[in-house]
Amino acid sequence: QLQAFGGGLVQAGGSLRLSCAASGRTVSSYAMGWFRQAPGEERKIVSAITRSGGSTRYADSVKGRFTISRDNAKNTVYLQMNSLKPEDTAVYYCAVSLVWSSREDDYLYWGQGTQVTVSS
């Protein structure tokens, strides 16, 4: 089971750190990804990280502002979000995959999502 938390309401330019904690599953066995879904839009990749944490990838819209990381000892993955913009408003989901991928279809298990709202 994956649980994402850390969302909330923040003003533009602010920061939030999302966490994705796993129970009953060892995240070190999986690549991890963060996705987001804004109202009326499809769910899209935000960032992904390899099992070891040695490689990461980001959507162009968040490059330079968001940082994905993981602590396998704590069975947790993080998404540090800085310089937030109103267009970052969405429900954010974490997910696990056997491959380091940007494709939603490659992700096997999903957390329940956490709402991030950025006010202008």
Side-chain angles (χ1 to χ4, degrees):
Q1 182 178 1
L2 299 174
Q3 184 176 4
F5 55 94
L9 174 64
V10 64
Q11 289 188 333
S15 298
L16 284 173
R17 188 175 83 154
L18 305 183
S19 299
C20 176
S23 59
R25 195 175 306 279
T26 303
V27 296
S28 60
S29 300
Y30 300 93
M32 301 288 294
W34 285 98
F35 291 75
R36 69 185 182 187
Q37 185 169 22
E41 297 185 11
E42 295 182 349
R43 189 158 56 185
K44 299 176 183 178
I45 184 74
V46 174
S47 183
I49 189 167
T50 54
R51 298 176 190 182
S52 67
S55 295
T56 58
R57 55 169 51 136
Y58 298 91
D60 288 343
S61 58
V62 307
K63 280 181 182 176
R65 299 188 298 121
F66 290 12
T67 303
I68 190 171
S69 62
R70 64 191 302 160
D71 186 338
N72 288 339
K74 294 183 178 179
N75 231 23
T76 303
V77 176
Y78 305 98
L79 185 68
Q80 178 67 44
M81 305 186 296
N82 298 329
S83 302
L84 283 161
K85 304 176 181 179
E87 51 263 44
D88 295 318
T89 295
V91 177
Y92 284 70
Y93 300 89
C94 60
V96 300
S97 173
L98 294 176
V99 296
W100 183 46
S101 172
S102 297
R103 296 179 64 247
E104 184 175 348
D105 289 348
D106 286 332
Y107 285 79
L108 305 174
Y109 307 106
W110 294 79
Q112 85 288 2
T114 184
Q115 176 70 47
V116 172
T117 303
V118 184
S119 62
S120 57

